[in-house]
Structures are given as structure tokens and as C-alpha cells.
Amino acid sequence: NAGVTQTPKFRILKIGQSMTLQCTQDMNHNYMYWYRQDPGMGLKLIYYSVGAGITDKGEVPNGYNVSRSTTEDFPLRLELAAPSQTSVYFCASNLQGDSQPQHFGDGTRLSIL
Amino acid sequence: GESVGLHLPTLSVQEGDNSIINCAYSNSASDYFIWYKQESGKGPQFIIDIRSNMDKRQGQRVTVLLNKTVKHLSLQIAATQPGDSAVYFCAENGGNNRLAFGKGNQVVVIP
């Protein structure tokens, strides 16, 4: 199993550009999550999904959108990139919500200039 | 609001010594806790977890202690090695199918 795979690993965007961060998992996990991690800070939940077709907002959803058309994929969309969205983005998944550890990808480092 | 936090930002430890990382939590309803290790440029890696019906759980060179009375969680690493240098953070189940993560504690192992 590859686990949780995120692409790209690095990206530089100009203000106002859009992009999609890809996340896929091959563990047949129902739950998937997107976090951002700013320097010296913990993980902040952006959006999460409890299964295909279902998504919910986390702590910091503004400026982002998600979709979950399949169990495996959970892309994160930035429509109008802003400097405040410069961060490292992590995708995670687990089988059963908050009673099991989440498995993380290696992140996408995004800079908005 | 409820939060998860760590006491010390950086812990320097001599190679071979034991390390102790502490975490305070405020949600008395939390019943599941996890410790993660994050190396530079990598995603968080699961180390060990514990449920609230236990006080202690041991893994390979790691032990997690849970004190529900004072809402305190600790991670003990035995015989710390250079490969243990990383950021460690705790997480608790915050309800609504989410985990709430602390800010992290940097561990630096001195050879």
C-alpha cells in the first residue's frame, strides 16, 4: 500500500491564481481530512469528509473548497490564492473518525507570492 | 474553547538519556489520545495511542501515560537516539469525527 499520496510536493502561485492539491489513499478509508500547518504551529483542520459525497467544514475553511466523488480521492481547491494561504498542507485519512489514528501524507508546500 | 497544548517548546536531551514530553488537554470528555512524530519535511507519523480506560501503554521504546484527574498526557522515550530528533505533538478526539492537535514540542538529541 502506498498509504496517503499528495501531489504536488511544492508549488509557487501568484496572488489570484487557482490550483488543486491532490490527495489519494489506497487503504479504503472512509474518513479524509485536509489540514494546514503554519511555521511553529499545530495542524488546523480545513475540511473533512466522512465518506464519498459528504464533506464538512473544519476550523479554517474560508478560501478553500473540497469534493469527494470517490472513496480514494479528496482534492482541495484554492480558487483565488492569497498570501495568507502560504502554508504546508497535509492530507490524512482513517477508517473511523476520532477513535483511530489518522494516516498522513508528506504534505504540499505552497507559497503564494 | 477546548484546546490541546504542550508545556515546553524545545527539549534538548543527551543521546542515550530518556525523554519526557508533556501535553495538557482541557476537554474532559476526550476519551482517545494520540502521539505523533513529525520529522522535517515529512508528514506526522503515528507513534502510540491510548484510550481513557487506560493509564499507561507501552510500545517499542515509548510509553504514554494518561492522568485523567489533571488532564495530562506524557510521552516517554527510552534511550533517546539521534533519529528521535523531531517535533512531537499530541492529539485528542475533539468530537464530530475530528482530532484536535497541539502545537508541538521540538526534541533535539545531542550526540
Side-chain angles (χ1 to χ4, degrees), chain B residues 4-44:
Chain B
V4 174
L6 295 179
H7 295 307
L8 302 173
T10 303
L11 174 67
S12 297
V13 59
Q14 204 71 37
E15 181 178 357
D17 287 352
N18 296 335
S19 303
I20 299 176
I21 307 162
N22 297 302
C23 178
Y25 66 95
S26 57
N27 187 349
S28 57
S30 293
D31 60 3
Y32 178 63
F33 304 87
I34 308 173
W35 279 102
Y36 283 93
K37 172 186 181 183
Q38 186 176 21
E39 296 175 277
S40 180
K42 296 285 186 72

Side-chain angles (χ1 to χ4, degrees), chain A residues 6 21 33-48 58-64 66 74 76 78 80-92 102 104 107-112, chain B residues 38 44 89 99 101-103:
Chain A
Q6 292 184 238
L21 282 66
Y33 310 81
W34 273 107
Y35 296 90
R36 60 177 288 172
Q37 185 178 39
D38 298 318
M41 302 295 287
L43 298 165
K44 293 185 178 179
L45 183 65
I46 304 171
Y47 270 95
Y48 68 104
E59 301 173 70
V60 289
N62 292 343
Y64 307 95
V66 293
F74 190 40
L76 177 72
L78 282 71
L80 287 171
S84 61
Q85 294 177 306
T86 294
S87 190
V88 182
Y89 292 84
F90 289 102
C91 179
Q102 295 176 13
F104 284 82
T108 294
R109 188 174 298 275
L110 182 63
S111 295
I112 316 294
Chain B
Q38 186 176 21
F89 51 92
L99 291 174
F101 291 84
K103 291 184 179 181

